[in-house]
Amino acid sequence: MSVLEPPMGLIAELTHRCPLQCPYCSNPLELERGGTELDTATWIRVLDEAAALGVLQMHFTGGEPTARKDLPELVRHASSRQMYTNIITSGMLLDERMMATLVEAGIDHIQISFQDIDPGNADRIAGLRGAHAKKLRLAALIKAAGLPLTLNFVVHRQNLENLPGMLALAEELGASRTEIAHVQYYGWGLKNRDALLPSRAQLEASTARVDAARERLKGRMVIDYVVPDYYARRPKACMGGWARRFINISPSGKAMPCHAAETLPGFTFPSVRDTSLAEIWRDAPAFQRFRGTDWMPEPCRSCDRRELDWGGCRCQAFAITGDAARTDPACSLSPDHALMDAVVQERSSEPPEFVYRRIGGAAPASVPAPQELLEPVP
């Protein structure tokens, strides 16, 4: 194996608390309670270890990262260690005061997620009335603060018809970068796959629209486009390859190669509570299991793309085949590719009701008040 390089980025899932209940959330079905979260001092130590390891980017996410009162302190510390700081937020808890505090702390970038451009459908998907309007206000705050604005539109069969409007809204708001991200089917997205998976016609139409917008907006706005693998011929390099580019830390401190890895059976993921980040990255068996190419079965082992896609996604392989070591069934060369085709063929003509992201998966009713979400971590 070649020399192990440090992770480029660390994804810090500070909390699973969130005022939204999106049915495609990548958080695990078993959400971690606030009382299990790492405290501030532990996160500060992890940030120091990340900087020493060579991490360049800190991505603060959740749940909703702004539910942590210590977020500005964490941003300030990461910035002082010369790491690029990014917050991925629903925007529900950010106001002028917090924005000013984050800017003073040295935040480099804030990314807002959107559910749709139609307020009614956006709020239905989010499970919270008034959510869309708050996101629009936050976009204005980010621009006023002089920060680059990135919008993330999560798209699926129940909002893709509004893709032209999403691109128009991004242009209107002055976004420097827009991500059109089809749902990835892990966590709650996998549970709601039939309600979210687009048809091939929808996917092809969205791809054509993004291509046209990229050409029209070249030099003015970068458009990232993430497709679902269910219509693919070749898999993508999930997270840049298992334990090659990123390290993900859960709210309770579990360190994983990606946010969905804890769905895989037979793994013991180390905790940053009692193991250093460098030791985890270098030596943890869970990180070494699918790193590189030695683990690969055929046809991956002899494929000339093996160091491009790194065998595809291990979590997707497990979700479709029940075996994380199988070739990603997104690949047309996979002996299990027919299983992915079968999922597409079995897609219902009418989407079923959402199972919302909340403990028990019940339909949205009331959500915690902001002051409850902002309670200090014990």
Side-chain angles (χ1 to χ4, degrees), residues 175-257:
S176 56
R177 180 179 294 271
T178 297
E179 183 176 31
I180 304 298
H182 283 265
V183 170
Q184 302 299 294
Y185 295 99
Y186 318 106
W188 294 90
L190 182 61
K191 191 172 185 69
N192 285 284
R193 183 173 59 192
D194 198 31
L196 298 165
L197 185 65
S199 67
R200 182 179 292 276
Q202 283 182 304
L203 176 60
E204 290 175 351
S206 70
T207 301
R209 286 166 175 158
V210 168
D211 288 345
R214 279 174 164 170
E215 183 63 28
R216 181 173 60 83
L217 297 171
K218 186 182 300 183
R220 288 189 287 154
M221 182 168 68
V222 175
I223 302 176
D224 296 323
Y225 185 50
V226 182
V227 299
D229 287 340
Y230 283 71
Y231 298 100
R233 301 293 296 170
R234 293 289 185 270
K236 54 181 175 285
C238 184
M239 301 295 288
W242 181 275
R244 293 191 66 254
R245 305 293 300 278
F246 294 95
I247 185 168
N248 191 99
I249 300 177
S250 78
S252 65
K254 284 181 289 187
M256 298 170 286

Side-chain angles (χ1 to χ4, degrees), residues 13 16 25-32 184-191 238 242 248 250 254-269 286 290 313-320 322-324:
E13 294 184 337
H16 281 163
C25 181
S26 62
N27 286 162
L29 301 184
E30 295 295 326
L31 299 171
E32 296 182 3
Q184 302 299 294
Y185 295 99
Y186 318 106
W188 294 90
L190 182 61
K191 191 172 185 69
C238 184
W242 181 275
N248 191 99
S250 78
K254 284 181 289 187
M256 298 170 286
C258 76
H259 56 275
E262 61 185 307
T263 63
L264 304 180
F267 282 81
T268 299
F269 292 104
F290 297 119
C313 178
R314 300 302 87 222
C315 300
Q316 184 161 265
F318 174 73
I320 301 295
D323 183 354

Side-chain angles (χ1 to χ4, degrees), residues 161-174:
E161 69 277 6
N162 290 331
L163 177 56
M166 296 175 192
L167 294 165
L169 177 63
E171 189 175 3
E172 176 187 336
L173 294 176

